[in-house]
Amino acid sequence: MSLKYEKIINQMTLEEKARMMSGKNTWETVDFPQYGIPSMTLSDGPHGLRRQAGAGDHLGLNASLPATCFPTAASVANSWDEKLGEEIGVALAEEAVTMGVNVILGPGLNIKRSPLCGRNFEYFSEDPYHAGKMAAAYIRGIQSQGIAACPKHFAANSQELRRMANDSVVDERTFRELYTTGFEIAVKEGKAKSIMSSYNEVNGIYANENSHMLQEILVDEWGFDGFVVSDWGGSNDHALGVKNGSHLEMPGTGKSGVHDIVEAVKNGNLTEEVLDQRLDELLSVIIDTHQATEEKKGTAFNVEAHHELARKVAEESVVLLKNEDNILPLRPGTKVTVIGDFAQNPRYQGAGSSLVNPAKQPEFILGEIGSSSLEMVAFEQGYRRNKKSDEKLLNQAKEAAKKAEVVLIFAGLDEISESEGLDRTHMNMPQAQNMLIDEITTVNPNVIVVLSAGSAVEMPWYSYVRGIVHGYLGGQAGASAMLNVLTGKVCPSGKLNETYPMHCEDTPVQHYYPSKERSSEYREALYVGYRYYTTVDKKVRFPFGFGLSYTTFKYSDLKIDESGVTFQIRNTGKIKGTEIAQLYVGRKSDTVFRPVRELKGFARVTLEAGESKTVHIGFDDKTFRFYDTRTDTWEIETGDYEIMVGCDAQTMLLTDKLYVAGTVKEGRYEKEKMPEYFNGQIRAIDNDTFRLLYGREIPDGSWSGEIRMNDAVCQLYYGKGILGKLFYGVLRILLKISEWQGKPNLNVLFNYNMPIRGYAKMTGGFVTMEMARALTEMANGHRIKGTAHLIKATVKRD
Ligand code: BGC
């Protein structure tokens, strides 16, 4: 195989090649000026750059250079606007190059398997098609500026608890249809130049070492020609990773990474030919992206223009969830009382590696309301973040609420409720806020709740309030964007990227998520989010794809041909507005189980009052396909398909049938043997049924009591070693303190969920694998043996 950088590679020694495959430090790759190889900088940035100028860490702990804080992915996904995604991508890259960043570590597009995942705010959708399209748009935008995007985390990485020590046990069909289709779109349509493998194992093999994922799917099927980087500290057996399709181990592991590769080549576990090929692929991106950063590094980006863009994005992302008697928009001069700590101290982004140091002071409602057409008669804090209900604050808020025509309550999830590194245990908003909303509705009938949260919440007060507007996490210009929607300057058009169940207990993964064992079994298979609720006809608070407008739309005249669907949408209201129409496809089959409908396309249509437009949504290679595990390929079942156009996943407005001549007559599943997968009642799948779907033995995920190197630190509790238990205890106390303080402690969370092996991967060579092995022995109660090994390994470390 010919190499693009053969000349350079031929000059390099084996050790030099090995050095290239591991970072120089937390964010940069090794450089070899003598060969013309510059260093490449990678930096987080799914909704804004987090380029650390000084000491690097990957948890958002140390300050980063100021950058525009755009709304997070969960917010932007509500816009369903690919063009907007591209614009954000361009802006992110414009900022990145000024900071010398060659690779933006984003977008994140893991599937929202459960509303409880603490990182949902960073992800686009519960649907892979939607997530993939948005991700591809960001990637196109980012890469148009000469640098690389890095979609993450590939794949089946939907749980934060023990995120680095978890085996996702998922059947191949579900894996393909749900958990990798988004990445497929990101790679094929976005042409991503890099991809980040996830921390977890997939069916017993680390994603970063998984040749099925990294070679067969990513390269052979999707034609990926960029480089794969491990998630930070996620590399396990580095040489095996490189052999199986991974390239770069980050952060750098000092000499150990080099040693692993050199040894593997010497003992024949990794051929130098494969190493050269990986190096060539890595060099291609390093060299290709170098020029863009070289030219622009140190220049300034347009802070004001990007702030404006952040506002536009936030405006498009707002979702109007309830508007009883058209209480919204508020007419000019409306006397409002503003209640809620979020109005003075906004919740505008999430916590963790995506944390942005905003280029402009983030807006907040109290700071912006004076420039709006509203007349604020009073403000009250109402609740203290993360604290029990405070009677005094509550009473003050009630008094203030009586003074106004309309009460705006700013509420949602506080910082500790959702974060990288933790999963929620329930879907409630803090009790103090729920109580406040309830109480305020008893003194003023015109209550509008304005939400900030990166994920779905329960709304026990739904029936008592007249309006609900959701801004998700709206970025640094979120406050003025929200006021523009409340006052009607902007007609809301956002639609939810996820279902809002009535209760957390209703979720399809209620019994499977988060897994507390070694493995996380995806027994619900395809029935995630709306795929489940619509199939079993379960009442939800708001369906996927739902959002109201200040105007109304009428759909008509569905026509279907081989290329796709065509229909009319008319704006039947009095103002200009934008509708997001959604195409769903379903098919009843006795041999291929499916949800009643799945999203296969969407269109954003802006219409003047009274205007009509013809809308076309094309079919593509994903419209009718299913993954056939008999042939290990995508097939199309021959037969009738139901074609549905709706305004959300539950409301189908135009439907018809289409006969499709497929590639196979039928599928492989026997309905009588797995009725649950055919009727969607998947909440209590037994071992036999799951085994049938999985197609092999279900791995034993239960704890044996023996701690392994790849077990998370939070499992030290089960070990026999007293020191391990002590360390676990200290972390628990620190977590409790951070809960009490209301701010996630990312360092502690990271350690808590990290395998012992992680210490050898995250300390730049300070802790070696041998030392980690010794620590594992100690965790298992072999104190003397472990200490002796630890001393020996420490002495040996060079
Ligand atoms: C996160 C990634 C992030 C990386 C670098 C990891 O802990 O999972 O999303 O890009 O850190 O900060």
Side-chain angles (χ1 to χ4, degrees), residues 69-90:
C69 179
F70 291 97
T72 71
S75 328
V76 184
N78 297 331
S79 74
W80 301 60
D81 189 344
E82 294 165 76
K83 275 207 199 95
L84 190 66
E86 256 183 80
E87 273 183 68
I88 301 170
V90 169

PDB file of all heavy atoms in Angstrom, residues 69-90:
ATOM      1  N   CYS A  69     -19.607  31.109  23.803  1.00  0.00           N
ATOM      2  CA  CYS A  69     -20.340  29.967  24.339  1.00  0.00           C
ATOM      3  C   CYS A  69     -21.681  29.888  23.602  1.00  0.00           C
ATOM      4  O   CYS A  69     -22.603  30.654  23.868  1.00  0.00           O
ATOM      5  CB  CYS A  69     -20.546  30.145  25.839  1.00  0.00           C
ATOM      6  SG  CYS A  69     -21.454  28.780  26.555  1.00  0.00           S
ATOM      7  N   PHE A  70     -21.747  28.980  22.645  1.00  0.00           N
ATOM      8  CA  PHE A  70     -22.986  28.780  21.900  1.00  0.00           C
ATOM      9  C   PHE A  70     -23.917  27.891  22.724  1.00  0.00           C
ATOM     10  O   PHE A  70     -23.473  27.232  23.669  1.00  0.00           O
ATOM     11  CB  PHE A  70     -22.680  28.103  20.557  1.00  0.00           C
ATOM     12  CG  PHE A  70     -21.942  28.995  19.604  1.00  0.00           C
ATOM     13  CD1 PHE A  70     -20.564  28.920  19.474  1.00  0.00           C
ATOM     14  CD2 PHE A  70     -22.638  29.933  18.854  1.00  0.00           C
ATOM     15  CE1 PHE A  70     -19.880  29.767  18.620  1.00  0.00           C
ATOM     16  CE2 PHE A  70     -21.960  30.790  17.992  1.00  0.00           C
ATOM     17  CZ  PHE A  70     -20.576  30.695  17.871  1.00  0.00           C
ATOM     18  N   PRO A  71     -25.190  27.829  22.369  1.00  0.00           N
ATOM     19  CA  PRO A  71     -26.062  26.866  23.046  1.00  0.00           C
ATOM     20  C   PRO A  71     -25.495  25.456  22.858  1.00  0.00           C
ATOM     21  O   PRO A  71     -24.831  25.172  21.853  1.00  0.00           O
ATOM     22  CB  PRO A  71     -27.385  27.039  22.300  1.00  0.00           C
ATOM     23  CG  PRO A  71     -27.344  28.424  21.745  1.00  0.00           C
ATOM     24  CD  PRO A  71     -25.912  28.666  21.390  1.00  0.00           C
ATOM     25  N   THR A  72     -25.741  24.582  23.812  1.00  0.00           N
ATOM     26  CA  THR A  72     -25.172  23.234  23.708  1.00  0.00           C
ATOM     27  C   THR A  72     -25.922  22.423  22.638  1.00  0.00           C
ATOM     28  O   THR A  72     -26.995  22.825  22.176  1.00  0.00           O
ATOM     29  CB  THR A  72     -25.235  22.485  25.051  1.00  0.00           C
ATOM     30  OG1 THR A  72     -26.598  22.150  25.321  1.00  0.00           O
ATOM     31  CG2 THR A  72     -24.672  23.319  26.189  1.00  0.00           C
ATOM     32  N   ALA A  73     -25.352  21.273  22.305  1.00  0.00           N
ATOM     33  CA  ALA A  73     -25.915  20.471  21.202  1.00  0.00           C
ATOM     34  C   ALA A  73     -27.390  20.141  21.405  1.00  0.00           C
ATOM     35  O   ALA A  73     -28.183  20.171  20.463  1.00  0.00           O
ATOM     36  CB  ALA A  73     -25.110  19.180  21.047  1.00  0.00           C
ATOM     37  N   ALA A  74     -27.761  19.840  22.660  1.00  0.00           N
ATOM     38  CA  ALA A  74     -29.162  19.481  22.907  1.00  0.00           C
ATOM     39  C   ALA A  74     -30.082  20.640  22.542  1.00  0.00           C
ATOM     40  O   ALA A  74     -31.206  20.440  22.062  1.00  0.00           O
ATOM     41  CB  ALA A  74     -29.358  19.102  24.369  1.00  0.00           C
ATOM     42  N   SER A  75     -29.606  21.867  22.756  1.00  0.00           N
ATOM     43  CA  SER A  75     -30.411  23.033  22.408  1.00  0.00           C
ATOM     44  C   SER A  75     -30.475  23.169  20.894  1.00  0.00           C
ATOM     45  O   SER A  75     -31.556  23.266  20.308  1.00  0.00           O
ATOM     46  CB  SER A  75     -29.807  24.308  22.997  1.00  0.00           C
ATOM     47  OG  SER A  75     -29.167  24.058  24.220  1.00  0.00           O
ATOM     48  N   VAL A  76     -29.318  23.164  20.269  1.00  0.00           N
ATOM     49  CA  VAL A  76     -29.272  23.404  18.820  1.00  0.00           C
ATOM     50  C   VAL A  76     -30.059  22.333  18.060  1.00  0.00           C
ATOM     51  O   VAL A  76     -30.691  22.614  17.042  1.00  0.00           O
ATOM     52  CB  VAL A  76     -27.809  23.453  18.324  1.00  0.00           C
ATOM     53  CG1 VAL A  76     -27.766  23.793  16.845  1.00  0.00           C
ATOM     54  CG2 VAL A  76     -27.011  24.471  19.113  1.00  0.00           C
ATOM     55  N   ALA A  77     -30.056  21.131  18.592  1.00  0.00           N
ATOM     56  CA  ALA A  77     -30.783  20.050  17.926  1.00  0.00           C
ATOM     57  C   ALA A  77     -32.261  20.399  17.789  1.00  0.00           C
ATOM     58  O   ALA A  77     -32.923  19.993  16.831  1.00  0.00           O
ATOM     59  CB  ALA A  77     -30.625  18.751  18.712  1.00  0.00           C
ATOM     60  N   ASN A  78     -32.775  21.199  18.731  1.00  0.00           N
ATOM     61  CA  ASN A  78     -34.188  21.578  18.665  1.00  0.00           C
ATOM     62  C   ASN A  78     -34.502  22.465  17.469  1.00  0.00           C
ATOM     63  O   ASN A  78     -35.661  22.653  17.120  1.00  0.00           O
ATOM     64  CB  ASN A  78     -34.601  22.323  19.941  1.00  0.00           C
ATOM     65  CG  ASN A  78     -34.474  21.454  21.166  1.00  0.00           C
ATOM     66  OD1 ASN A  78     -34.613  20.235  21.079  1.00  0.00           O
ATOM     67  ND2 ASN A  78     -34.199  22.064  22.298  1.00  0.00           N
ATOM     68  N   SER A  79     -33.472  23.027  16.869  1.00  0.00           N
ATOM     69  CA  SER A  79     -33.704  23.871  15.688  1.00  0.00           C
ATOM     70  C   SER A  79     -33.865  23.010  14.437  1.00  0.00           C
ATOM     71  O   SER A  79     -34.392  23.460  13.441  1.00  0.00           O
ATOM     72  CB  SER A  79     -32.531  24.826  15.482  1.00  0.00           C
ATOM     73  OG  SER A  79     -31.410  24.110  14.970  1.00  0.00           O
ATOM     74  N   TRP A  80     -33.379  21.810  14.471  1.00  0.00           N
ATOM     75  CA  TRP A  80     -33.402  20.903  13.312  1.00  0.00           C
ATOM     76  C   TRP A  80     -32.883  21.636  12.079  1.00  0.00           C
ATOM     77  O   TRP A  80     -33.328  21.396  10.953  1.00  0.00           O
ATOM     78  CB  TRP A  80     -34.816  20.376  13.038  1.00  0.00           C
ATOM     79  CG  TRP A  80     -35.437  19.629  14.159  1.00  0.00           C
ATOM     80  CD1 TRP A  80     -35.704  20.088  15.403  1.00  0.00           C
ATOM     81  CD2 TRP A  80     -35.905  18.262  14.137  1.00  0.00           C
ATOM     82  NE1 TRP A  80     -36.288  19.098  16.162  1.00  0.00           N
ATOM     83  CE2 TRP A  80     -36.436  17.981  15.413  1.00  0.00           C
ATOM     84  CE3 TRP A  80     -35.931  17.265  13.159  1.00  0.00           C
ATOM     85  CZ2 TRP A  80     -36.975  16.739  15.741  1.00  0.00           C
ATOM     86  CZ3 TRP A  80     -36.481  16.036  13.483  1.00  0.00           C
ATOM     87  CH2 TRP A  80     -36.998  15.783  14.769  1.00  0.00           C
ATOM     88  N   ASP A  81     -31.942  22.537  12.307  1.00  0.00           N
ATOM     89  CA  ASP A  81     -31.509  23.406  11.214  1.00  0.00           C
ATOM     90  C   ASP A  81     -30.061  23.073  10.850  1.00  0.00           C
ATOM     91  O   ASP A  81     -29.121  23.505  11.520  1.00  0.00           O
ATOM     92  CB  ASP A  81     -31.638  24.867  11.658  1.00  0.00           C
ATOM     93  CG  ASP A  81     -31.429  25.833  10.507  1.00  0.00           C
ATOM     94  OD1 ASP A  81     -30.896  25.405   9.460  1.00  0.00           O
ATOM     95  OD2 ASP A  81     -31.791  27.012  10.645  1.00  0.00           O
ATOM     96  N   GLU A  82     -29.918  22.332   9.766  1.00  0.00           N
ATOM     97  CA  GLU A  82     -28.574  21.916   9.376  1.00  0.00           C
ATOM     98  C   GLU A  82     -27.714  23.109   8.945  1.00  0.00           C
ATOM     99  O   GLU A  82     -26.529  23.148   9.216  1.00  0.00           O
ATOM    100  CB  GLU A  82     -28.650  20.877   8.257  1.00  0.00           C
ATOM    101  CG  GLU A  82     -29.281  19.578   8.735  1.00  0.00           C
ATOM    102  CD  GLU A  82     -29.701  18.683   7.596  1.00  0.00           C
ATOM    103  OE1 GLU A  82     -28.827  18.056   6.982  1.00  0.00           O
ATOM    104  OE2 GLU A  82     -30.916  18.620   7.312  1.00  0.00           O
ATOM    105  N   LYS A  83     -28.361  24.078   8.289  1.00  0.00           N
ATOM    106  CA  LYS A  83     -27.584  25.253   7.842  1.00  0.00           C
ATOM    107  C   LYS A  83     -27.024  25.992   9.046  1.00  0.00           C
ATOM    108  O   LYS A  83     -25.885  26.449   9.048  1.00  0.00           O
ATOM    109  CB  LYS A  83     -28.499  26.208   7.060  1.00  0.00           C
ATOM    110  CG  LYS A  83     -28.633  25.841   5.619  1.00  0.00           C
ATOM    111  CD  LYS A  83     -28.951  27.108   4.804  1.00  0.00           C
ATOM    112  CE  LYS A  83     -29.530  26.726   3.469  1.00  0.00           C
ATOM    113  NZ  LYS A  83     -31.013  26.711   3.444  1.00  0.00           N
ATOM    114  N   LEU A  84     -27.853  26.077  10.069  1.00  0.00           N
ATOM    115  CA  LEU A  84     -27.419  26.749  11.282  1.00  0.00           C
ATOM    116  C   LEU A  84     -26.268  25.971  11.924  1.00  0.00           C
ATOM    117  O   LEU A  84     -25.292  26.555  12.414  1.00  0.00           O
ATOM    118  CB  LEU A  84     -28.595  26.836  12.259  1.00  0.00           C
ATOM    119  CG  LEU A  84     -28.414  27.707  13.486  1.00  0.00           C
ATOM    120  CD1 LEU A  84     -28.293  29.171  13.092  1.00  0.00           C
ATOM    121  CD2 LEU A  84     -29.589  27.534  14.452  1.00  0.00           C
ATOM    122  N   GLY A  85     -26.379  24.649  11.909  1.00  0.00           N
ATOM    123  CA  GLY A  85     -25.304  23.799  12.433  1.00  0.00           C
ATOM    124  C   GLY A  85     -24.002  24.092  11.712  1.00  0.00           C
ATOM    125  O   GLY A  85     -22.926  24.176  12.318  1.00  0.00           O
ATOM    126  N   GLU A  86     -24.111  24.271  10.400  1.00  0.00           N
ATOM    127  CA  GLU A  86     -22.906  24.574   9.615  1.00  0.00           C
ATOM    128  C   GLU A  86     -22.326  25.928  10.008  1.00  0.00           C
ATOM    129  O   GLU A  86     -21.111  26.082  10.137  1.00  0.00           O
ATOM    130  CB  GLU A  86     -23.254  24.583   8.123  1.00  0.00           C
ATOM    131  CG  GLU A  86     -22.758  23.331   7.441  1.00  0.00           C
ATOM    132  CD  GLU A  86     -23.026  23.320   5.936  1.00  0.00           C
ATOM    133  OE1 GLU A  86     -22.284  23.949   5.176  1.00  0.00           O
ATOM    134  OE2 GLU A  86     -24.000  22.642   5.568  1.00  0.00           O
ATOM    135  N   GLU A  87     -23.234  26.888  10.207  1.00  0.00           N
ATOM    136  CA  GLU A  87     -22.765  28.231  10.613  1.00  0.00           C
ATOM    137  C   GLU A  87     -22.036  28.168  11.951  1.00  0.00           C
ATOM    138  O   GLU A  87     -21.011  28.815  12.153  1.00  0.00           O
ATOM    139  CB  GLU A  87     -23.960  29.181  10.773  1.00  0.00           C
ATOM    140  CG  GLU A  87     -24.381  29.863   9.506  1.00  0.00           C
ATOM    141  CD  GLU A  87     -25.518  30.845   9.777  1.00  0.00           C
ATOM    142  OE1 GLU A  87     -25.290  31.858  10.450  1.00  0.00           O
ATOM    143  OE2 GLU A  87     -26.648  30.563   9.318  1.00  0.00           O
ATOM    144  N   ILE A  88     -22.596  27.371  12.873  1.00  0.00           N
ATOM    145  CA  ILE A  88     -21.924  27.238  14.179  1.00  0.00           C
ATOM    146  C   ILE A  88     -20.544  26.614  13.966  1.00  0.00           C
ATOM    147  O   ILE A  88     -19.545  27.054  14.539  1.00  0.00           O
ATOM    148  CB  ILE A  88     -22.747  26.362  15.154  1.00  0.00           C
ATOM    149  CG1 ILE A  88     -24.121  26.964  15.385  1.00  0.00           C
ATOM    150  CG2 ILE A  88     -22.012  26.171  16.475  1.00  0.00           C
ATOM    151  CD1 ILE A  88     -25.076  26.056  16.140  1.00  0.00           C
ATOM    152  N   GLY A  89     -20.515  25.582  13.128  1.00  0.00           N
ATOM    153  CA  GLY A  89     -19.253  24.902  12.849  1.00  0.00           C
ATOM    154  C   GLY A  89     -18.210  25.878  12.315  1.00  0.00           C
ATOM    155  O   GLY A  89     -17.060  25.886  12.766  1.00  0.00           O
ATOM    156  N   VAL A  90     -18.628  26.723  11.382  1.00  0.00           N
ATOM    157  CA  VAL A  90     -17.695  27.706  10.812  1.00  0.00           C
ATOM    158  C   VAL A  90     -17.180  28.625  11.924  1.00  0.00           C
ATOM    159  O   VAL A  90     -15.972  28.864  12.060  1.00  0.00           O
ATOM    160  CB  VAL A  90     -18.383  28.539   9.697  1.00  0.00           C
ATOM    161  CG1 VAL A  90     -17.516  29.731   9.293  1.00  0.00           C
ATOM    162  CG2 VAL A  90     -18.710  27.664   8.495  1.00  0.00           C
TER     163      VAL A  90
END
